Amino acid sequence: MTVLKSITRLGAAGALSGVLVAALAAPVVSGAGIGAKSVADTFNDLPPAPREEPLSQVTRLVDRTGRTFAQFYEANRTVVPLDKVSAVMRRAIVAIEDARFYEHGGLDVIGTLRALITNTQAGGIKQGGSSLTQQLVKNILVESARTEAERDRARAPNLARKITELRLALALERKYRKDEILEKYLNIAYFGAGAHGVEAAARRFFSTTAAELTLTQAATLAGAVRAPYSTDPSIGQEHRARLKMRRDLVLDRMAGLKLITQAQAAEAKASPLNIRLRPEPGGCAQSDHPYYCLYVHRELMTNEVFGATADVRRARLARGGLVVRTSLDPRAQRAADQAIRQRVSAEDTEVAAEAMIEPGTGWIKAMAASKRFGRNPGNKKNGPRTTFNLVADVRHGGGQGLQAGSTFKVFTLATALQQGWRFDDGFDTPGVMTPAQGYRDCSGRPVNDPGTEIHNASGEGKGGPHSISTGTWKSVNIFYMMLERKVGLCNVVKTAKALGVTRADGTPLREVPTFTLGVNEMDPLTVAASFAAFAARGRYCEPLAITEIVDRDGRRTHVSPACEQVIDRQVADAVNWVLTGVFDKGTMKGQDLDRPAAGKTGTNNGYTSAWFAGYTPHLAAAVSVGDIRGSYKHPLTDVRIGDQYYGSVQGASLPGPIWVDSMRAALRHTEAKGFPGPDMSRFGGGNTPGLEEGEEEAGEENGRRGRHRAYAKRHRKLLRWLFGHGARPHESRAHESRPHESRPYEGPLREGRPPEARRRHGDGHRRDAAPRHRRDRH
């Protein structure tokens, strides 16, 4: 059989692109009228080696321990040096693809003729005709192609492409050593199942590394390269059967070349494939910590430091092979996840979200929410999943947020202490207040609201004297509305802004009289960062998730915290002293963290949302709860959340316990530390007329109420029977309050403004008229 006849038959079998190499091309082009000198010039005047773009690699997000929790890629590839690839893998790929690789200079005439004869006799491809260097050239041209037309030209099965490929292969052999070429080939080749390069293939096929591949595993991967799509083990059993045939062919070839013994080959062929497919999820929806992932992703996509344009940033993330180190603390994240999961179900329309931040650095330690991240079946609006980052603001993928309630009183407290108020300074308060005068925004414009009445919560409706301390511990609305007027609304707004407070939707803060009652919609991360500044003695740090970026060449870019002293240290110490009283004298009494802690509850208008924000010297956190269908249309009253029924959700009834449990677990291995004591010569003392007498009277009243409650508890069954409200005294019957039936979806994920109806402010405090503040005015 002549060579030309062999070429003809092999071309008919679909293998023309694998055998038309220079040694065979010369007589063909000569027969076509091209002189021998032209052929010689074609292979003597070589072009430069092909342009090589950096290979597309996986970008990984890792937590503070170095564990990967998310990844992004255009091609699942991790480049490794040749010494990180097992020797048996190197031998296997050379044996099946280019046995004379270390002997030829880019063109293996003997190997090509052998492949020509073997494949022609078999009627198909049994051995490769192109050298490894030629295959590398083809992969380089495909990888670096900028358009689909360029990619098509790099794959075109014609003589012109093969001659160009060969000339570039000879040029490549002049540029690199053999081991360098083999390393490049092993990193660029596609092995199937979405795995590009030998390291990704080892992880994907066998859940191992390229350095630890065994003989049978190496032979399997070497066999997959020739036909990665028809042997893809992730598709089905037929593909796996073809992959096993290819593996056995590699083993026979290695034995024939005496790279292994016949006995080793037989033993390996008798073993199953033992494929252990390892998932290689991409993007945040498949991340272990999706909300944290989404925050980091938005940071990278919107920060010009990461790239001049959005396209550049997107390409760098998808192809860059970066390691993005973050401040994510696995212990804190696990603590937040578990604390939320124990009390709020993903199926609930009510959602809980929590952010944890380290004071003094701004490093974000955890971001958790009760909903799973992603789309609901059928793209339904309500379900166990959400596409909103419930922990963050709109810029980082969040929604419009929830009104922060009485957590905002801390900014008025800090402003008053800065202006010279003392812990026991205060004044008498009425039972009802109308903010009709004395309020100006930071432009100097009056923003009074004479049509609104502010009431305190039940138990404090009579008004009375309150000091800075008692007004905070009891979260007294009217006291704080009056205090805000005395210290200046604009001054309170400036304090909040200095502590990083911005609205979740990115619009300007609403500078209105009820600012101190938390009328602005916030996200947990922003609130946690502002409270962390008090733990850091007045040093505010911008929330920071990325601590370092390591590029594909190992160059490191460290990201330093962005911090500023915005509150006087002594003022911060004084705020901390007051807020510690919330746990033993105020709205969180009885919920102990077992270590020094400070914080503030927040229950919003008509129970539309509930918050708790607090901190220790080591960690700050904020928890929010609201209905994902719309907080104003669906207040937190008469609801079942998780397995608990709530007549109304307040800051201390659900967000508070979540905060306590998560913080206790997150700090379990951290030594307890107290806050620096306040300067009592500056903040101690003060005067509130009538306060002591009122507290004594209140104490006596509380004693009477306590005795009454104890009596009622002891005789509850008897009283129920006497008044016809329960079983007879000797009967025992389980009683469980039932929630109202759930209402259908009535509106968007978030509403911008409460309906015109009666409202509650602060920690469940009622007012009689709707707010007259409108977005178009403020």
Side-chain angles (χ1 to χ4, degrees), residues 431-609:
V432 179
M433 178 205 173
T434 299
Q437 60 181 353
Y439 294 92
R440 292 182 179 272
D441 63 18
C442 288
S443 68
R445 182 166 57 100
V447 288
N448 303 303
D449 193 357
T452 295
E453 286 187 344
I454 306 296
H455 289 248
N456 288 330
S458 59
E460 299 181 28
K462 295 184 298 183
H466 290 286
S467 68
I468 283 281
S469 300
T470 64
T472 303
W473 298 334
K474 297 178 180 179
S475 196
V476 184
N477 280 348
I478 292 177
F479 174 81
Y480 261 92
M481 288 288 292
M482 295 173 68
L483 181 62
E484 179 189 57
R485 183 167 58 191
K486 291 176 182 293
V487 301
L489 168 61
C490 180
N491 291 326
V492 175
V493 171
K494 288 179 178 178
T495 297
K497 287 182 176 179
L499 290 164
V501 171
T502 56
R503 285 175 57 87
D505 60 8
T507 60
L509 289 170
R510 296 175 63 192
E511 301 176 18
V512 293
T514 50
F515 183 89
T516 192
L517 303 185
V519 71
N520 283 280
E521 285 85 2
M522 304 296 296
D523 61 276
L525 186 62
T526 300
V527 174
S530 67
F531 273 66
F534 295 111
R537 304 188 71 191
R539 182 175 172 82
Y540 172 75
C541 300
E542 295 179 10
L544 183 64
I546 301 170
T547 62
E548 185 180 57
I549 298 177
V550 184
D551 70 15
R552 64 173 68 222
D553 298 319
R555 290 187 294 266
R556 298 174 181 270
T557 302
H558 181 70
V559 182
S560 299
C563 303
E564 182 182 358
Q565 191 75 32
V566 297
I567 299 289
D568 181 274
R569 288 163 65 92
Q570 291 186 345
V571 170
D573 294 341
V575 170
N576 297 340
W577 185 88
V578 174
L579 293 188
T580 56
V582 171
F583 285 94
D584 56 11
K585 304 179 187 70
T587 53
M588 283 287 285
K589 187 174 182 178
Q591 302 195 55
D592 190 8
L593 193 58
D594 302 325
R595 64 174 66 220
K600 185 70 189 73
T601 51
T603 309
N604 202 28
N605 308 12
Y607 302 104
T608 57
S609 63

Side-chain angles (χ1 to χ4, degrees), residues 707-727:
R707 289 190 294 273
H708 175 74
R709 282 194 296 268
Y711 177 85
K713 184 176 182 180
R714 285 195 302 269
H715 303 286
R716 182 175 298 154
K717 289 183 180 179
L718 177 60
L719 291 171
R720 284 180 176 173
W721 177 71
L722 288 172
F723 291 101
H725 293 304

Side-chain angles (χ1 to χ4, degrees), residues 332-349:
Q333 183 66 51
R334 186 165 51 251
D337 286 334
Q338 291 177 351
I340 289 175
R341 195 179 304 120
Q342 286 173 359
R343 288 181 169 82
V344 185
S345 168
E347 302 290 342
D348 294 334
T349 58

Side-chain angles (χ1 to χ4, degrees), residues 331 595 616 618 666-673:
R331 181 180 290 113
R595 64 174 66 220
T616 71
H618 296 103
L667 295 169
R668 181 169 292 127
H669 300 290
T670 302
E671 184 179 356
K673 178 182 177 183

